[in-house]
Amino acid sequence: PIPRTRGEKAPGGAPERATQEAPEPAAQEAPEPAAQEAPPPVQQEPAPAEAGAFAGDKELLGEYLAEQRTRLEEIEGYLLALEKAPSGDSLAGLRRALHTIKGDSGFLGLSQVTQIAHAAESYLEAAQFPYDLECLFAVKDWLTRAFEELARTEAIAPETAGGVNGLLATLEHGAHGATAPQAPPPAPA
């Protein structure tokens, strides 16, 4: 076909609609393989058990840990108050502190801290008084160790991370009114 301008008549008297020829569709071909394939990923050392989303941002880590130290102080105060006399205010404050740790830690990708805080919060919602305060103090102690390791090395050590499952099981069993299975004694070294 001959290119024509708008309004110019094609042979046979019909006006031509386009001012340019449309390119003819190319025959469908199989996609060409990539000229160069991406190199395989570099093998890296395994990541620490739990490093979070800090990526070396010491300022963010410092702010996070300062907040969590405040939460831990609150948790200890609420636990001591519950130990002396159960109160709705202490229980609500304890749940609120755990909920805040859970949210902050989840936002920053600290899944194990998030799991522990969530399990303890769920335990408080499901269980009835008298609560296993020893277990709740163990949660506070685990969180304290985890935060100390984050401050020191920007990661939670595998040894501490390994204690998550036992603590989660204890909280889960306690929430359902069962006694948690006792952990076997450590093997002799």
Side-chain angles (χ1 to χ4, degrees), residues 14-97:
E16 186 67 38
R17 294 177 71 186
T19 59
Q20 296 180 355
E21 270 186 44
E24 292 196 25
Q28 289 211 345
E29 299 175 17
E32 291 183 30
Q36 281 185 321
E37 289 186 28
V42 177
Q43 294 294 326
Q44 295 180 346
E45 294 289 317
E50 184 91 333
F54 304 110
D57 188 340
K58 291 192 183 286
E59 185 178 344
L60 177 61
L61 177 60
E63 289 174 21
Y64 167 79
L65 291 173
E67 279 294 313
Q68 302 327 305
R69 284 185 197 101
T70 301
R71 297 292 88 72
L72 288 173
E73 289 171 8
E74 291 173 0
I75 287 171
E76 185 165 2
Y78 293 131
L79 287 173
L80 292 172
L82 284 170
E83 200 172 45
K84 289 179 183 173
S87 108
D89 290 341
S90 294
L91 189 58
L94 179 57
R95 276 200 301 249
R96 199 171 35 255

Side-chain angles (χ1 to χ4, degrees), residues 103-124:
D104 291 351
S105 302
F107 179 75
L108 293 173
L110 294 167
S111 62
Q112 293 169 331
V113 175
T114 303
Q115 286 177 323
I116 289 292
H118 176 72
E121 186 183 16
S122 296
Y123 168 78
L124 290 171

Side-chain angles (χ1 to χ4, degrees), residues 116 135 161-173 180-181 183:
I116 289 292
C135 177
V164 168
N165 292 334
L167 202 46
L168 290 172
T170 300
L171 289 165
E172 177 69 22
H173 287 287

